[in-house]
Amino acid sequence: DAAWSNFTLTVTSDLSFDGESSAYIEIPAGGNMIVEQVSTGGDFVTFPASASKTYEIGSWIYLETVGTMPVSGLLQPDLRFYWKPEFPNSGSNPEFNSDFPTNEWVYNSNYVTFDATGDFHLEMRGFNESNPEDLKFYMDNIFLYEVELRP
């Protein structure tokens, strides 16, 4: 879908939270992004998950610039993690609002559950459609961990 392919993603060694490289993402004003990981053979890279467990999903983000915040009431620029073949309602992870720190690494995560047990693949969606300026950030260490939350 052309509405979700207006972005650039580059693996770079310019800045990383951990290791030698990270993803540098630019989503232009009014643009959006969908990224899914596939193997060199073109197959989705999958992971197992259980409907009976809770997981933490997230990443480390280094926000370079978000530009001018959109008018109040419009959706703020954000990054979301979905999993397929299900397509759950995922919350912002993170939302790039006026309180989000710039020029430092920030840990972002959500707790999630799966509606079924099976193999899934991640889809990352970046939203910048309501923003009149470019969104630029680094992303490192995308993770999905099983967690046990206290009652």
Side-chain angles (χ1 to χ4, degrees):
D1 185 348
W4 291 94
S5 61
N6 190 8
F7 69 94
T8 59
L9 185 153
T10 307
V11 176
T12 178
S13 60
D14 292 347
L15 182 68
S16 65
F17 175 77
D18 185 35
E20 297 180 11
S21 60
S22 65
Y24 180 67
I25 299 168
E26 292 187 17
I27 306 175
N32 296 304
M33 167 187 85
I34 290 180
V35 174
E36 295 174 295
Q37 185 179 11
V38 294
S39 70
T40 55
D43 298 319
F44 290 115
V45 176
T46 62
F47 60 91
S50 172
S52 65
K53 298 180 179 180
T54 301
Y55 298 85
E56 182 177 2
I57 188 170
S59 64
W60 285 88
I61 300 290
Y62 185 101
L63 179 61
E64 198 170 76
T65 183
V66 69
T68 305
M69 291 290 96
V71 177
S72 178
L74 295 177
L75 292 173
Q76 300 292 303
D78 73 6
L79 179 66
R80 293 175 185 236
F81 292 91
Y82 295 93
W83 47 91
K84 290 181 166 182
E86 295 178 13
F87 198 78
N89 184 15
S90 176
S92 296
N93 189 1
E95 179 178 83
F96 298 111
N97 58 34
S98 59
D99 295 328
F100 197 92
T102 57
N103 301 314
E104 66 181 86
W105 286 103
V106 178
Y107 175 78
N108 302 275
S109 69
N110 292 339
Y111 295 115
V112 297
T113 57
F114 290 77
D115 292 336
T117 296
D119 290 330
F120 302 89
H121 71 272
L122 283 180
E123 176 179 278
M124 294 180 298
R125 286 190 170 203
F127 178 82
N128 200 37
E129 191 170 306
S130 300
N131 191 355
E133 296 184 41
D134 296 350
L135 171 63
K136 299 177 183 181
F137 62 96
Y138 292 87
M139 179 173 48
D140 206 352
N141 289 5
I142 300 168
F143 60 87
L144 177 72
Y145 298 119
E146 181 183 330
V147 295
E148 291 187 31
L149 301 176
R150 295 181 194 174

